[in-house]
Amino acid sequence: MITIKNISKSYDKTEAIKNISLEINRGELFGLIGPDGAGKTTLMRILMTLLLPDSGKAKMDEFDVVKDFKEIRHIVGYMPGRFSLYQDLSVEENLNFFATVFGTTVEENYDLIRDIYYQIEPFKKRRAGKLSGGMKQKLALSCALIHKPKILVLDEPTTGVDAVSRKEFWEMLKKLQKKDITILVSTPYMDEAILCDQVALMQNGRILDVDSPSRITEKFPRKIIQARSENMFQLINDLRNFEKAEAVYAFGQFVHFTGIEDDVETTELDNYLEKLNHKNILVEEINPGIEDVFMNLMEK
Amino acid sequence: MTQLLSFIKKEFYHISRDPRTMLILFGIPIAQLLIFGTVIKSEINDIHIAIYDQSKDETTQQITNKLLSSGYFILDENLKSLDEIDAIFKRGKVREVIVFENDFGKKLIIEGTAEMQLIVDASDPNTARLATSYTKGIVNDYIQKLYPNVKMPMQIKPEVRMYYNEEMKSAYMFVPGTMALILMLISTMMTSIAITREKELGTMEILLVSPLKPVHIIVGKVIPYFLLSIVNAFVIIIIGKVVFGVPITGSFILLMLETILFILMALCLGILISTAAKNQMVAMFISMIGLLLPTIMISGFMFPIENMPEVLQWFSHIMPARWYITIIRGIMLKGIGITFIWKETLILLGMTLFFIALSVKKFKIRLE
């Protein structure tokens, strides 16, 4: 459905994306995962015909993003990273406006947005600027969907949204996927990556790896040890000073440890920490998550 | 078409829901007109004078009365010697001193000539010039009426008659100018801001990624301001007539048509600015500094173009307001028809087409 071949793009002298190639199949929920500045937005804008690539080709449903931009603008739904609806128009007015702009009506495609829109419908007379963050996202999604697009592109839709709304939002995306809509979504949150069918890990304008989330973690060859103690700060410092330590990162309440050559055993680490007077020590081997993979790829 | 209509509807929502926009649209024009119309004047009122009358006869008394009853002058003091003149000017209030020579009346009758002296404080040359010419006018008038058969004994100057604005009312000059200024401000600034606001708030990104054509976006943005500007022009003409008594001697329909043309030109200029400006601040800056000041200074609104240095005269040709002001002064004050102003009209039309073509060409269908 979306084919990207050797796309590069620079702003002045900074290269935003470098020689990216991707293939996204019809009906897929595809995630672009990467930190701020990885080039996710630039790539999406090129696909949305908002920017011209410096080199390379990209096609959306067989339409070229440079030549056939008019056709593409009929078949895509786009939700930019920033809330981009009219804050001084009400929920209802925004939705009606975007429906008319795309030459349709709210009634015609109400089915598609019902699950999302019914949650904000009680506030339909309220101005969009006065909605909560989660409701704004739902309205923006409704507006992006109102013309029943074939391809939906969402740029960091859950940034700045509370945990409950984030979960709901992803559930909605899963439902939309079943309605034969190809979805390309970007996110800086690794925990959302596992909800995608395929993910591309991006960093500094390059794609580090493309695969399904489970395959990405499965094929990760390294052994990850998770550790915890009462004094986290001390724990990180001590682990970093451990002679066989290769990478040590804080992950929420835990520290993820990778040893040189993976030959560090949990008992070895346990003993080392006990000697340094750590209390309530927990050391265990775990399956790597996407974050571990990402951190590892970034190191290279 | 429905796309365009819903775009226009949306635009009206924006305008009506933003108190600042409403204020700029309707508050500022009226305030500006009233301020310009009343404060900036080239006529004189209540000039303080002093008189040193050495003759104190019937004639000088009558001339004095005539001067004071004209409404232009207020008598502050009767002086008793020439030495006082210097002191009274230094105090600053009195702007003009009139001195009648000894036996003024007698000399006038017997010798047919008498002398009076006008001494003015020329630290404000404009007022000084006006005060002397008003005084001369009144004195001449009096003497002519008194001795219609006598040949002018006090050959002062040929009488100047002010055509079209006989009383030299400055409001007559300023209403057309202010109209140009306000329409320029509203139409150009408001459209350029309205379009750049979409860019700034990120909504342009969504509009671009929609089947809307650039022409839909531009026309949809312009029509509401077009209609509001016409209303504004109408209000200004009404206020000019009711408050300042500015006449419309020519055809009202022609006046409105020319005004509509000028509004269109200003709107297109606004669009052009918005294609160049990245955000509302820049758009406002270009409209205010780049357009407003030249409109006030070199379009003939305040200062006569003929008195400007040649470079500025040449430069004033590219000021749309210059042509518009010529047109509406012609229609409102002289009552002339299209046959006298077709050249100016064509120039405005040309500018409009030029701006439209350029902005359609420059309108970005992408983000860069």
Side-chain angles (χ1 to χ4, degrees), chain B residues 35-54:
Chain B
I35 291 168
F36 274 129
T38 48
V39 174
I40 308 173
K41 290 193 165 178
S42 57
E43 70 219 52
I44 57 168
N45 264 330
D46 302 342
I47 296 276
H48 290 264
I49 58 166
I51 293 176
Y52 176 36
D53 189 348
Q54 297 168 338

Side-chain angles (χ1 to χ4, degrees), chain A residues 9-11 41 45 48-53 65-67 69-70 73-74 76-90 93 96-98 100-103 127 155, chain B residues 1-18 197-214 216 221 364-368:
Chain A
K9 172 81 191 170
S10 313
Y11 299 110
T41 302
R45 283 184 170 165
M48 295 319 294
T49 73
L50 285 171
L51 292 178
L52 292 171
V65 292
V66 179
K67 279 206 312 273
F69 71 93
K70 281 184 186 149
R73 290 177 182 187
H74 278 100
V76 293
Y78 176 48
M79 200 172 136
R82 194 154 54 125
F83 180 69
S84 301
L85 299 179
Y86 296 102
Q87 314 241 3
D88 52 348
L89 297 194
S90 72
E93 285 159 356
N96 279 324
F97 173 69
F98 285 105
T100 344
V101 160
F102 280 94
R127 305 234 172 127
D155 192 0
Chain B
M1 197 59 202
T2 46
Q3 286 175 327
L4 187 60
L5 281 180
S6 90
F7 201 102
I8 294 169
K9 200 166 87 182
K10 171 196 82 100
E11 216 49 45
F12 270 116
Y13 284 144
H14 288 322
I15 296 169
S16 63
R17 285 174 191 179
D18 183 18
R197 185 168 51 199
E198 300 250 5
K199 286 192 202 173
E200 208 173 313
L201 296 179
T203 44
M204 196 52 120
E205 215 173 320
I206 298 203
L207 291 183
L208 288 177
V209 185
S210 75
L212 277 181
K213 293 192 185 87
H216 285 142
K221 278 279 170 198
K364 296 183 187 80
I365 51 164
R366 294 191 169 84
L367 279 181
E368 47 173 13

Side-chain angles (χ1 to χ4, degrees), chain B residues 165-219:
Chain B
N165 183 6
E166 308 213 357
E167 294 163 77
M168 285 273 279
K169 285 241 168 146
S170 47
Y172 287 9
M173 303 300 279
F174 280 105
V175 167
T178 311
M179 200 154 127
L181 188 68
I182 290 169
L183 292 178
M184 193 91 177
L185 181 76
I186 303 284
S187 313
T188 310
M189 192 169 82
M190 296 312 279
T191 37
S192 65
I193 285 182
I195 296 179
T196 41
R197 185 168 51 199
E198 300 250 5
K199 286 192 202 173
E200 208 173 313
L201 296 179
T203 44
M204 196 52 120
E205 215 173 320
I206 298 203
L207 291 183
L208 288 177
V209 185
S210 75
L212 277 181
K213 293 192 185 87
V215 64
H216 285 142
I217 299 178
I218 291 179
V219 173

